[in-house]
Amino acid sequence: MSVRERLINRLSAHFENVPDALRKRRLLVGIVFLALLATSIFGISKLHMDMTIEGWFHKEDPTLVAFNRYHAQFGSEDGVYIVYKPKDGDVFSPASLEAVRGIQNELIHFRAKLKEDEESPLDHIVNVDTLVNAPVLTVDGDVLASRPLVGDTVLTPEAITEIKAIAESEQQLKLRFFSRDHKYGGIQIETDFGAIPLDAEAVTEETVLSMDQVAAPTEEKDVEFKPTDQADYLTLFEEIKKILAKPEYAKHLDYYAVGNTAAAEHNVKMTEEMGMLYVVAFVIIMGLLWFLFRSASAVVWSMSIVILSTVFTLGATGLLGLTVTGFLILTILLILTVGVADSVHTLTSYTALRTSGNDHQVALRRTYKYAGVALLLTGFTNMTGTMALNITPVVPIQSFAIMSTLGILFALLLTFYLLPVLIDLWPTVSKKKVIVDTPDKKRFLDVLPRLKSALNNVVPIVEKRPVAFIVPFILVLAVSIYGATQVKIDSQILDQYPEDSTFTQSVKVADEHMMGAYAMVLYLDFKEDFALQDPAVMKAMDELQKEFETKYKKYVVMTNSITDIVKDANRELNGDAAEYYRIPDTRESLAQTLFLFNNANPSERQRFVDDNYRKANINISLHSYGSYEYEVVFQSMRADIDKMMAKLKAQYPKTEISITGIFALAMQASQYLTENQAITFGIALVAVSVILLLVFGSFKVGLIALIPNLIPALLTLGLLGITGVPLDFFTMMLAPIIIGISIDDTVHFISNYQLQLAKDNDVNAALRRTMEETGPGVVFTSLILGLGFGIMAIASAAGTSNMGKFGAMAIFMGLLNDLFLLPALLLKFKPKFKTATAG
């Protein structure tokens, strides 16, 4: 007897003895699980949730390091951009300007209405820029001055005409504060979100404390910042909305808010929707369990396994210090489907043995003897499928992988070591009931007898022409492989939200009429003080901006940096002559221009360049496109940046330029997924193949078991490619998970078939008995698993809905594979098994 056979026999013997051993130690089992429950509840209190894009990266990730360095020097870019549409159709009308002036004053001077030491969510606001206080440079003699475009000006017709003329001449105001047709305006609210250090001691001298207070840096230190809680976004936006909704403003303006703060309330709605879908799935599954077993205990115990597995998983997550992310609901759905599947297989076997005339204790022992190894195998394959996702260096997906693996493990352990005790306490068939071989009493909507009758016809149909069933599935596999080669990897941020949501509509308005809802930042560190007073440096930056605006016109709305300020100041200092709208040619004149502007508006200068003129940023406003297009654009932009640096390399060899910002982080996360999704799928596939080979001890059997599970996973990718639906943050997780989940029924089927074949070595008879005993469980677990994913198909967000639709489709394809393709393969190739003991 081989090592593999001895191991399987020992496991079978162990699982056979588990029910009796646990029954004798009920009290101890109860104490242990109660202790675990108490520990888990304590662990849940330690849970930490992070919904920010920064939370997608490890602390050492270069992308995040650059992001934090930018924040440390220049503050947060995580603000609120409110596009407003005057109801009179003109942003320069007196009514519109007065309304915006009122909103601006309330946002800036909100503390005047607070009591001493009273806190407000509006404390997170650092700066507010509007058409009213937009800075405009003027010259008084040799002195450069900065004044607000509107300020406290009395809005006479003459004054408005002058304001319009000035605004049109200031290129950096257009699209930021007013649209080209003057029908839309913009309010830009800067916050400290993402720029609050983890603790006071972490504040370096580079850290921006406010927009008008920046200390001189002493040494380069990386600062870690607090992740922004959704509650902070929500409370701030609620306060902002209260101001916007005041009658004196709302009667003149309609609003379209974008940014993380504005998106927060929609994120909450999506979470609530997923919670409701989970409850619906929970209720429907309970109904399915009732119709399958017609036993309240089956419903209660199955749901208990799911609930306890979820609680233990969350507790372990808290104790391990893992971060909970937006993928939590997917983990909970996975635990629901896997936990119920384990319970169904166990309860189906027990109920079948009882109704076949076996005593309660005998039925329980035999259930775990024959189902135990299959449950263990499917548990490991499921965990392999989810852990394969851990290769992706995106923290939320790593957390999803670890939490889901823990959930599957807890569901497995509870099925092995708690469910037998629960069944013994309250079985699906009364312990006292003596099974008599009489026709079953017909019950309303009793699906089990009808299902058994239908399944009894499957093998006779397949055994007539097994090849006729194999060929269509192979064709599906071939088409799926072709479709998989056509898959486009593309993550659209808006796929998280319904098409008709106010946030989606707001993004479209900002994208179509104003500077867009998204932006990225070039963070430049020349590693030498006063480098930015070198005309060569400034001109190189200016050329780069112009190239971005022309070469990438489809994507780039506008750019903004210290170069624009310098050109504007230089023109003003030279009599407003158009030919002086350029960078000064000498270091002395450039330094003098920067000095004069700093005196005029130091806070505006600090937004773009540090006190030592060593570091700067270029803000690039972008149209909304997916990661597929932006990955190509970013690569091209990096080449343009390298070209710019080649001109400055001799003078500033240590210069570092990083593409950063919230949008850039999202695109980098998508790139990580692009680089690793094929590897993830391959690892899951190879691991599952090895497990099948080792367990069944035969290459042919392992291959036969693998094919029915390879088709559903590839079908998912194939359908994505054929239908043009991109592989994104949601759908990329389907393939390895489906491989793990769909193999559950296959392993139970082949394990039972192996035992049945050992009785008389009659392939056809063994298949018929296997279908009769295992078929109902296979069908019901597939229904339950399919429902677990399928319920997400009705989600209003495209990403979640696609995961539900394609996931459910793959699982139901797996069911067809197990019912028709698997028997056909076994009939056609008649694989030989290693010695198996028939019981």
Side-chain angles (χ1 to χ4, degrees), residues 440-477:
D440 290 337
K441 181 180 179 181
K442 291 185 178 180
R443 295 171 293 189
F444 177 66
L445 290 179
D446 198 345
V447 297
L448 190 54
R450 294 178 175 83
L451 177 61
K452 285 182 176 179
S453 176
L455 290 174
N456 287 338
N457 295 323
V458 171
V459 175
I461 294 174
V462 174
E463 64 187 7
K464 291 178 181 179
R465 293 184 179 179
V467 175
F469 285 89
I470 295 174
V471 171
F473 284 101
I474 297 302
L475 289 175
V476 170
L477 178 61

Side-chain angles (χ1 to χ4, degrees), residues 298-602:
V299 178
V300 173
W301 295 150
S302 296
M303 294 297 100
S304 296
I305 296 299
V306 170
I307 294 170
L308 287 174
S309 299
T310 303
V311 172
F312 289 173
T313 300
L314 293 176
T317 300
L319 293 173
L320 291 172
L322 297 175
T323 300
V324 177
T325 70
F327 289 109
L328 172 63
I329 190 65
L330 300 181
T331 297
I332 294 175
L333 280 169
L334 185 62
I335 293 173
L336 173 65
T337 55
V338 172
V340 171
D342 288 345
S343 301
V344 166
H345 279 298
T346 304
L347 293 171
T348 300
S349 179
Y350 168 79
T351 304
L353 288 168
R354 284 288 287 126
T355 54
S356 298
N358 290 278
D359 174 74
H360 164 72
Q361 300 299 340
V362 173
L364 201 52
R365 285 197 299 271
R366 287 169 66 87
T367 292
Y368 277 89
K369 177 181 180 180
Y370 299 127
V373 174
L375 287 169
L376 183 64
L377 176 59
T378 57
F380 275 117
T381 52
N382 284 334
M383 287 187 282
T384 301
T386 54
M387 278 305 294
L389 291 167
N390 203 46
I391 190 174
T392 303
V394 179
V395 173
I397 294 179
Q398 289 183 338
S399 297
F400 169 79
I402 296 171
M403 290 179 66
S404 297
T405 303
L406 286 172
I408 295 168
L409 177 62
F410 284 127
L412 187 64
L413 293 175
L414 288 167
T415 302
F416 280 146
Y417 300 111
L418 180 62
L419 188 57
V421 176
L422 299 178
I423 294 174
D424 192 60
L425 289 172
W426 185 16
T428 56
V429 179
S430 174
K431 296 179 186 179
K432 298 178 181 179
K433 183 175 182 180
V434 178
I435 307 300
V436 181
D437 189 16
T438 57
D440 290 337
K441 181 180 179 181
K442 291 185 178 180
R443 295 171 293 189
F444 177 66
L445 290 179
D446 198 345
V447 297
L448 190 54
R450 294 178 175 83
L451 177 61
K452 285 182 176 179
S453 176
L455 290 174
N456 287 338
N457 295 323
V458 171
V459 175
I461 294 174
V462 174
E463 64 187 7
K464 291 178 181 179
R465 293 184 179 179
V467 175
F469 285 89
I470 295 174
V471 171
F473 284 101
I474 297 302
L475 289 175
V476 170
L477 178 61
V479 173
S480 298
I481 292 173
Y482 166 75
T485 63
Q486 306 301 307
V487 170
K488 182 174 72 173
I489 301 171
D490 189 19
S491 294
Q492 267 281 8
I493 295 175
L494 288 182
D495 282 349
Q496 303 175 61
Y497 309 103
E499 179 70 22
D500 60 351
S501 71
T502 55
F503 183 74
T504 300
Q505 299 308 311
S506 295
V507 169
K508 290 180 178 179
V509 168
D511 201 41
E512 182 178 352
H513 300 284
M514 298 294 286
M515 67 178 188
Y518 304 114
M520 73 174 191
V521 175
L522 292 190
Y523 176 58
L524 306 94
D525 185 351
F526 291 93
K527 303 293 184 180
E528 185 176 321
D529 289 348
F530 305 108
L532 284 152
Q533 293 186 0
D534 183 346
V537 171
M538 280 282 190
K539 289 179 179 180
M541 289 174 58
D542 188 40
E543 289 173 10
L544 185 65
Q545 288 179 240
K546 290 176 181 177
E547 185 161 13
F548 278 8
E549 290 177 352
T550 54
K551 186 176 179 180
Y552 310 107
K553 190 174 182 180
K554 175 182 176 182
Y555 306 97
V556 175
V557 181
M558 59 188 295
T559 64
N560 195 15
S561 78
I562 189 65
T563 64
D564 301 293
I565 292 172
V566 168
K567 290 190 294 183
D568 192 26
N570 190 45
R571 181 181 61 187
E572 291 294 332
L573 290 168
N574 287 277
D576 200 25
E579 64 269 23
Y580 283 94
Y581 187 72
R582 56 180 173 78
I583 304 297
D585 293 323
T586 66
R587 179 180 281 270
E588 292 74 16
S589 58
L590 175 57
Q592 179 67 12
T593 302
L594 287 167
F595 174 77
L596 292 171
F597 175 74
N598 185 62
N599 288 340
N601 195 341

Side-chain angles (χ1 to χ4, degrees), residues 29-103:
V29 171
I31 292 172
V32 168
F33 280 100
L34 286 175
L36 287 173
L37 182 61
T39 304
S40 298
I41 292 173
F42 172 75
I44 290 174
S45 68
K46 301 292 184 181
L47 282 176
H48 167 68
M49 179 167 281
D50 185 357
M51 301 289 286
T52 64
I53 189 64
E54 301 97 299
W56 286 57
F57 297 86
H58 290 286
K59 295 177 182 178
E60 303 80 14
D61 192 290
T63 307
L64 184 61
V65 170
F67 184 75
N68 285 338
R69 286 178 178 175
Y70 165 75
H71 277 186
Q73 180 60 57
F74 296 109
S76 173
E77 57 153 349
D78 190 1
V80 189
Y81 185 54
I82 301 171
V83 178
Y84 61 89
K85 183 179 182 181
K87 294 181 180 179
D88 60 13
D90 184 8
V91 294
F92 291 102
S93 69
S96 172
L97 290 174
E98 287 292 358
V100 172
R101 181 154 52 191
I103 293 170

Side-chain angles (χ1 to χ4, degrees), residues 625-669:
Y625 289 97
S627 62
Y628 180 78
E629 291 190 61
Y630 267 118
E631 176 54 31
V632 177
V633 171
F634 282 5
Q635 288 180 1
S636 182
M637 284 181 170
R638 290 187 185 99
D640 294 332
I641 293 169
D642 292 339
K643 191 192 306 180
M644 180 199 85
M645 285 311 304
K647 302 176 183 178
L648 304 174
K649 188 174 182 180
Q651 184 72 21
Y652 306 99
K654 297 181 181 179
T655 299
E656 294 180 359
I657 301 181
S658 305
I659 295 179
T660 188
I662 293 173
F663 187 77
L665 289 183
M667 295 302 101
Q668 181 61 62

